[in-house]
Amino acid sequence: MAGAPVKLGSILSFCVVFYAIFYRKDNFEDGRLSPVKEHLLYLENENKVGSGTHQPKVALGYGACHDLFVNATSLLNPRDLKGAPEHFNEISSKDEFLKSFTYFFKHGAAAERFMSNSALYDELVEQSLKLPDTRWAIGGNAPLMANRFHLEGWKVLLGAKMSKKLKSYIPKDIEIVGDNGNEEVKDDIHMILEYRADEKFGEYKSPRANRYIMHNDENNPLLTSLEKLGEHLITFSPNLLVISGLQMMDNFPFKQGDKDLRAERLELVKEQILSQPVNTLAHFEMASYVDLELLLHLTTKVLPFVDSVGMNEQELSNLNSVLEYGKVMVVADSNPRVATALDQMRKTFQLIRQKNTDNGSKRKLTRIHVHTLAYQAILTVKGSHWKRTKAAAAKASLTAHRYVCNSKNIALDKCKLLLDDSFSTTTDDNNNSRVFFEATEPVACWDEVLDNDEVDICVAPVLICTEAQLTAGAGDNISAAGLVLQVEK
Ligand SMILES: *[C@@H]1O[C@H](CO)[C@@H](O)[C@H](O)[C@H]1NC(C)=O
Ligand SMILES: *[C@@H]1O[C@H](CO)[C@@H](O)[C@H](O)[C@H]1NC(C)=O
Ligand SMILES: *[C@@H]1O[C@H](CO)[C@@H](O)[C@H](O)[C@H]1NC(C)=O
Ligand SMILES: CC(=O)N[C@H]1CO[C@H](CO)[C@@H](O)[C@@H]1O
């Protein structure tokens, strides 16, 4: 659950590098950059929340991990590869590990795999620690989002079982619940095996920079902090509950005979959401899932019961595909047209709304946030609890830039816009509705009727950072930044 790698990391890093190379030259010629920046900042400044007595409260689950960033080609020796690269759902031996790694390396594709062989896993961690460039960081969607809410002045409750050491990465004001206080906790470690574009591994060459993530989690797949979080929710009484980290259950060997532990745990997630009064808004943070059974569980146990969903373009295509066709979509267009993403958002909205009805849910989906390299799109139902959609889209956009450039200031010579001067709002050939993108009014918002409700859709361009410093954790920062302005205490 390396936060980012799971999320938009890989695609983003590739694209950012790509655009950095190809679009540097005409940066300065884009007269839109300066007014776009000024107006996005204006929207952000005009809409501050989370100070003084108006401090809103957020509770986040589940889990945390210690990310170990490792140079993949330094750790592994291509001569150990016996046979052709191959893909496995889970890894149990060094042989499989090398084949699996090489398979994704030669495609430059992001992957996240569970390693069932703990002894081998520990050995690899030990070897990694001997390499000079290996570094630690805190990982997991819940802690990364928690930090962002805290930074924005919220009161934060985090459900995660973590060691004292890992807790030291989290600001003191954030209340962490998950263990019973005196137990010795062993953190789940995620190995983030990084490689650059054009690196060589034996006879193979990576077409682009990416990372292969491996985990051997014990706590995260079981959502071990769920019960403790539940106890604290009663008195904490959050304005917003964020459900994330469920992708750690992907491909985890849960079944023992007829018993399906995963379905049981997810049933408890559902109950946790239902235990909250309806004026506590519930948000589900999507992630990169490949296990169809798990995805189908999400469509019956989580999605019908939340008010909001956040995701990147890959996750949107996958979710849409699962809801519409019952099929996983492993890779999608990494830079979709606005019209395509909006159509998928509409479809996803309607399909989840149908589930709200079928399952007699007290909550209805009223918000979808999709973040892509080029733009942020937020759909909210008018008259729902979600406020300031326009400013939220602007803030998410600024956060995307700041995160990737690793700088609070936005330098125009490091910015690039990918949106054209206008875009279609739908791919429907019979409908030529277009939105004109004005540099002095960069966040375009309009109304539509969907599922008999009036919705407000806002699209903000991203000032894409052309000099990428960081990509890990971007999705978590962006999603949290979008939520920050939308909840009224
Ligand atoms: C890994 O190490 C090799 C050899 O030092 C270097 O060329 C490569 O750039 C490193 N890769 C990453 C992702 O740091
Ligand atoms: C939700 O609705 C679907 C389809 O009608 C049904 O199969 C499923 O059992 C329901 N789940 C719950 C938790 O009510
Ligand atoms: C065209 O699409 C927009 C959504 O972008 C919708 O609001 C509008 O009703 C559509 N018009 C027609 C004629 O279908
Ligand atoms: C640029 C940016 O917004 N980065 C923030 C992402 O979130 C972490 C907290 O998780 C902050 O420390 C970063 O400053």
Side-chain angles (χ1 to χ4, degrees):
M1 143 169 38
V6 183
K7 311 228 62 214
L8 99 164
S10 55
I11 292 120
L12 189 65
S13 58
F14 167 63
C15 296
V16 166
V17 171
F18 177 84
Y19 290 117
I21 295 167
F22 288 87
Y23 289 90
R24 248 343 267 282
K25 284 192 291 292
D26 51 356
N27 271 355
F28 299 102
E29 287 152 34
D30 195 338
R32 301 177 302 174
L33 292 176
S34 176
V36 166
K37 172 185 157 183
E38 293 315 315
H39 284 84
L40 290 177
L41 287 173
Y42 168 79
L43 284 169
E44 183 184 45
N45 284 330
E46 286 295 290
N47 293 280
K48 290 213 164 106
V49 292
S51 56
T53 51
H54 290 290
Q55 196 178 33
K57 291 185 282 183
V58 60
L60 306 102
Y62 305 94
C65 57
H66 215 172
D67 283 347
L68 188 64
F69 289 83
V70 186
N71 182 324
T73 57
S74 302
L75 177 69
L76 299 173
N77 186 342
R79 264 175 260 146
D80 292 340
L81 176 69
K82 306 210 166 52
E86 195 180 336
H87 141 83
F88 301 89
N89 274 335
E90 63 166 90
I91 314 291
S92 59
S93 68
K94 179 106 191 223
D95 247 18
E96 288 180 357
F97 172 42
L98 273 148
K99 284 181 179 162
S100 171
F101 168 77
T102 316
Y103 179 86
F104 289 99
F105 175 89
K106 76 174 186 156
H107 287 106
E112 186 159 7
R113 287 293 175 274
F114 174 71
M115 179 179 270
S116 48
N117 183 337
S118 303
L120 174 60
Y121 191 80
D122 292 347
E123 194 185 306
L124 288 166
V125 168
E126 209 169 294
Q127 278 172 23
S128 302
L129 288 171
K130 290 183 187 139
L131 299 172
D133 299 332
T134 297
R135 64 187 194 280
W136 290 106
I138 186 166
N141 304 115
L144 295 178
M145 289 178 81
N147 277 353
R148 165 53 54 188
F149 278 105
H150 173 259
L151 215 61
E152 302 283 347
W154 285 49
K155 193 162 192 268
V156 184
L157 173 68
L158 168 62
K161 197 168 187 172
M162 53 216 280
S163 68
K164 287 209 176 63
K165 169 148 192 237
L166 202 55
K167 281 181 185 162
S168 71
Y169 287 91
I170 306 267
K172 292 257 178 314
D173 295 338
I174 295 181
E175 189 184 355
I176 307 169
V177 295
D179 56 74
N180 49 32
N182 41 21
E183 93 194 78
E184 194 62 46
V185 177
K186 186 170 164 243
D187 293 319
D188 287 334
I189 295 174
H190 289 197
M191 292 180 71
I192 321 283
L193 304 174
E194 297 183 298
Y195 51 87
R196 292 184 204 277
D198 296 326
E199 266 196 62
K200 293 223 170 71
F201 188 66
E203 61 182 285
Y204 303 100
K205 191 162 108 175
S206 54
R208 63 190 237 194
N210 220 325
R211 42 174 82 72
Y212 180 99
I213 302 176
M214 219 171 22
H215 75 95
N216 175 240
D217 283 8
E218 283 174 20
N219 290 313
N220 288 320
L222 291 168
L223 316 177
T224 47
S225 57
L226 184 141
E227 282 81 0
K228 274 273 181 288
L229 181 62
E231 288 167 23
H232 285 79
L233 279 175
I234 301 165
T235 48
F236 186 74
S237 168
N239 303 98
L240 176 68
L241 171 66
V242 175
I243 305 293
S244 69
L246 305 183
Q247 72 273 21
M248 286 303 103
M249 301 178 131
D250 221 48
N251 283 315
F252 189 75
F254 275 103
K255 294 200 179 132
Q256 294 151 358
D258 291 341
K259 199 167 139 76
D260 185 352
L261 191 53
R262 179 163 72 183
E264 284 173 21
R265 298 303 288 165
L266 287 168
E267 199 60 34
L268 293 177
V269 171
K270 173 183 146 190
E271 278 166 26
Q272 187 143 84
I273 303 170
L274 293 179
S275 76
Q276 294 303 295
V278 280
N279 62 357
T280 294
L281 295 167
H283 171 84
F284 173 61
E285 188 63 18
M286 211 13 219
S288 158
Y289 292 87
V290 290
D291 183 341
L292 181 61
E293 194 183 310
L294 175 55
L295 279 156
L296 293 174
H297 278 317
L298 296 179
T299 66
T300 60
K301 298 187 198 303
V302 177
L303 289 164
F305 307 105
V306 294
D307 304 275
S308 164
V309 185
M311 57 209 151
N312 67 24
E313 79 290 341
Q314 301 290 315
E315 295 156 7
L316 173 65
S317 292
N318 192 20
L319 181 57
N320 192 81
S321 169
V322 168
L323 287 166
E324 204 170 354
Y325 311 109
K327 287 207 175 96
V328 174
M329 186 181 274
V330 181
V331 210
D333 185 351
S334 60
N335 190 22
R337 289 173 57 198
V338 177
T340 309
L342 290 177
D343 282 347
Q344 289 182 345
M345 285 169 77
R346 293 182 185 101
K347 191 85 210 173
T348 299
F349 179 82
Q350 281 159 333
L351 291 167
I352 296 178
R353 277 296 189 111
Q354 189 57 49
K355 301 217 172 273
N356 294 152
T357 312
D358 291 352
N359 290 96
S361 171
K362 281 198 222 122
R363 285 197 179 77
K364 278 188 182 173
L365 186 73
T366 44
R367 178 180 184 273
I368 298 182
H369 176 187
V370 172
H371 49 90
T372 77
L373 179 69
Y375 52 88
Q376 302 287 325
I378 303 181
L379 176 161
T380 52
V381 171
K382 292 199 137 193
S384 66
H385 297 289
W386 304 105
K387 311 293 175 206
R388 309 179 200 90
T389 302
K390 188 177 197 175
K395 190 171 180 72
S397 162
L398 289 167
T399 305
H401 176 95
R402 288 181 181 131
Y403 192 91
V404 178
C405 265
N406 194 22
S407 158
K408 194 154 186 351
N409 287 329
I410 295 175
L412 290 182
D413 61 346
K414 291 184 188 158
C415 289
K416 170 71 196 169
L417 284 169
L418 274 181
L419 277 198
D420 292 333
D421 288 330
S422 72
F423 56 82
S424 306
T425 60
T426 169
T427 57
D428 179 355
D429 287 337
N430 301 317
N431 184 331
N432 50 18
S433 124
R434 288 190 85 77
V435 167
F436 290 85
F437 166 52
E438 311 263 357
T440 53
E441 195 61 58
V443 187
C445 297
W446 66 92
D447 296 345
E448 289 183 15
V449 174
L450 277 183
D451 196 53
N452 296 322
D453 263 329
E454 245 189 274
V455 300
D456 188 13
I457 298 181
C458 290
V459 175
V462 172
L463 289 164
I464 298 158
C465 172
T466 53
E467 290 179 9
Q469 302 291 323
L470 292 172
T471 50
D476 297 313
N477 264 273
I478 297 167
S479 281
L483 285 164
V484 159
L485 296 185
Q486 296 223 260
V487 180
E488 199 89 81
K489 189 193 160 187

